[in-house]
Amino acid sequence: MGHRAGMHTYAARLRRRARRARTALRKSGVDYFRGDGSDRLALAGLLLTIPALAAGTLVDPVWCAPPVLVLPIVAGGLLLRPASLLGLYAAAACALIVESFALGPYTQGPARVTPGTVLVVAACGLFGLLIAQFRARVGVPWRRGGTMLFDLRERIRVQSALPRLPQGWHREMALRPAGGQSFSGDFVVAARTHGGRTLEVVLTDVSGKGMDAASRSLLLSGAFGGLLGSLPPHGFLPAANGYLLRQNWDEGFATSIHLVLDLDSGDYELFSAGHLPALQLHAGTGRWEEKAAEGPLLGVYDGAEFHPVKGSLRPGDVLMLFTDGLVEASDRDIAEGIDRLTGEADRCVAEGFQGVAWHLIEAVAKDVNDDRALLLLSRRA
């Protein structure tokens, strides 16, 4: 019995040790891929590849040429910290020196260490060091940087999605950043409030475009999403204006339009902060009407007042919100751009609403180097 109990105790100890080892290995792996762990393992692996590559060069310099040393140097620029990278560079330099002595002067034949080889390896090392220093300064490792940007892009996309509307309503939205990039200075936040009876939508155009405005757009979209529905409609833009003023950005202004739509009656209010007017298509007359509210830019001065304009969407009516990238160009004024937009909208709406917003951007502002956003709301007849 005592022997059997001892065996059970020994087996239990082994299981505990194995479990602790697995936990420690998993934690070190997670820390490494997050950028928090040590890079000693990666450094050791790359240091071992250098003598292996150097030996291959000495054996067959034609198939394993001296410039092959750039491979561990490039990998080191992605994996290692700047201090560790210097040690890797020293090992690569020693390998080049050994190869140059063993293979002989480059003037005596091909597949030798030439001045061009040294320049290529040195240039790759310099670029790798710059990349490593940038990663160290930002604090985002290459292993997580792309994932983080992808996650940010998806969060912006999800946050910009319009909520489902009750039967009898249709919505279309399209957002295209400048230069075909993934991040934009235009963004939309939307929510259904008051028990789902009210749709609130905020379309904002941050100063700048593309990646230059993306960081401010991301910060503002999160803040505006938190404010929307937490304040009465008339308090949203003053709160957003105060938030921008507290940031003290050099380019801290933005334009914004805030729609508050009663989904039961179709009545709405529009609040504007220096934004372009909305356009309403009246089904009875077939004409577009500008709905322009009064209000200054966000982030310009404190105590700004925003006065709404009211309207109502009847069956068959359409309301269109958009940013200046769709109608503003250097060779024409905004009025001409709006006329072109409404003309294209008449043709698209007549063919049906599926994909209308995207087709409108393609039709009127396909090659414009500016952020473009368009939102259409329609009440079915």
Side-chain angles (χ1 to χ4, degrees):
M1 289 291 292
H3 177 71
R4 191 173 298 174
M7 289 290 292
H8 284 303
T9 304
Y10 180 70
R13 285 201 299 269
L14 285 180
R15 285 195 297 270
R16 285 195 297 271
R17 290 175 182 174
R19 188 162 52 251
R20 284 197 295 268
R22 286 197 305 270
T23 302
L25 182 62
R26 190 185 303 115
K27 183 178 184 301
S28 63
V30 171
D31 288 344
Y32 177 72
F33 281 99
R34 284 179 176 173
D36 302 328
S38 173
D39 62 351
R40 292 179 181 177
L41 185 62
L43 176 61
L46 292 173
L47 285 175
L48 291 175
T49 62
I50 288 179
L53 293 174
T57 301
L58 297 178
V59 172
D60 192 346
V62 175
W63 286 97
C64 187
V68 77
L69 286 173
V70 300
L71 296 178
I73 287 177
V74 170
L78 298 174
L79 293 170
L80 302 179
R81 296 183 174 90
S84 302
L85 204 56
L86 294 178
L88 182 69
Y89 290 173
C94 292
L96 279 177
I97 293 173
V98 171
E99 290 174 358
S100 63
F101 277 108
L103 297 175
Y106 66 91
T107 56
Q108 295 181 1
R112 285 174 167 81
V113 179
T114 65
T117 301
V118 177
L119 287 177
V120 169
V121 174
C124 290
L126 176 61
F127 288 130
L129 185 61
L130 292 176
I131 292 172
Q133 288 178 337
F134 175 78
R135 287 190 290 104
R137 183 170 66 252
V138 174
V140 178
W142 77 275
R143 300 173 297 277
R144 293 287 294 174
T147 303
M148 185 189 71
L149 290 176
F150 177 79
D151 182 61
L152 288 176
R153 188 189 68 181
E154 290 303 301
R155 288 179 184 274
I156 292 174
R157 184 183 64 81
V158 171
Q159 185 170 270
S160 298
L162 297 176
R164 287 182 175 274
L165 300 183
Q167 188 174 5
W169 292 94
H170 182 79
R171 79 278 195 275
E172 285 278 340
M173 192 194 74
L175 179 65
R176 179 173 287 189
Q181 301 173 9
S182 298
F183 298 92
S184 171
D186 297 347
F187 67 87
V188 174
V189 291
R192 289 181 64 176
T193 58
H194 301 96
R197 293 181 295 102
T198 302
L199 173 68
E200 293 193 48
V201 180
V202 177
L203 174 61
T204 302
D205 183 358
V206 178
S207 57
K209 59 186 177 183
M211 292 297 293
D212 295 333
S215 58
R216 285 175 286 132
S217 174
L218 178 63
L219 182 62
L220 289 182
S221 64
F224 286 10
L227 292 173
L228 193 66
S230 301
L231 297 169
H234 64 271
F236 175 83
L237 287 181
N241 182 57
Y243 179 82
L244 254 72
L245 289 172
R246 290 192 295 272
Q247 305 312 304
N248 291 321
W249 289 331
D250 292 335
E251 291 187 49
F253 67 89
T255 69
S256 191
I257 188 167
H258 178 199
L259 169 68
V260 184
L261 172 65
D262 188 320
L263 295 171
D264 292 334
S265 65
D267 297 335
Y268 66 83
E269 282 186 318
L270 274 172
F271 299 83
S272 177
H275 201 83
L276 293 173
L279 296 174
Q280 180 177 351
L281 173 64
H282 296 278
T285 62
R287 296 182 178 274
W288 290 90
E289 177 190 5
E290 291 190 6
K291 307 293 287 189
E294 297 181 5
L297 298 170
L298 295 178
V300 175
Y301 61 87
D302 197 8
E305 295 183 357
F306 304 92
H307 302 288
V309 62
K310 297 184 179 182
S312 183
L313 289 177
R314 303 303 178 192
D317 287 1
V318 179
L319 186 66
M320 181 161 54
L321 311 179
F322 53 93
T323 56
D324 58 4
L326 272 82
V327 296
E328 192 174 34
S330 58
D331 57 346
R332 67 167 186 259
D333 59 23
I334 292 180
E336 292 180 12
I338 291 177
D339 289 340
R340 183 183 178 190
L341 176 62
T342 54
E344 291 292 339
D346 285 332
R347 285 190 285 272
C348 291
V349 169
E351 298 173 0
F353 268 98
Q354 194 65 31
V356 167
W358 186 259
H359 289 308
L360 277 175
I361 292 179
E362 286 285 306
V364 303
K366 181 178 180 180
D367 300 320
V368 174
N369 187 27
D370 197 1
D371 299 321
R372 290 142 292 168
L374 178 67
L375 169 66
L376 284 166
L377 285 167
S378 67
R379 191 175 185 184
R380 293 190 176 98

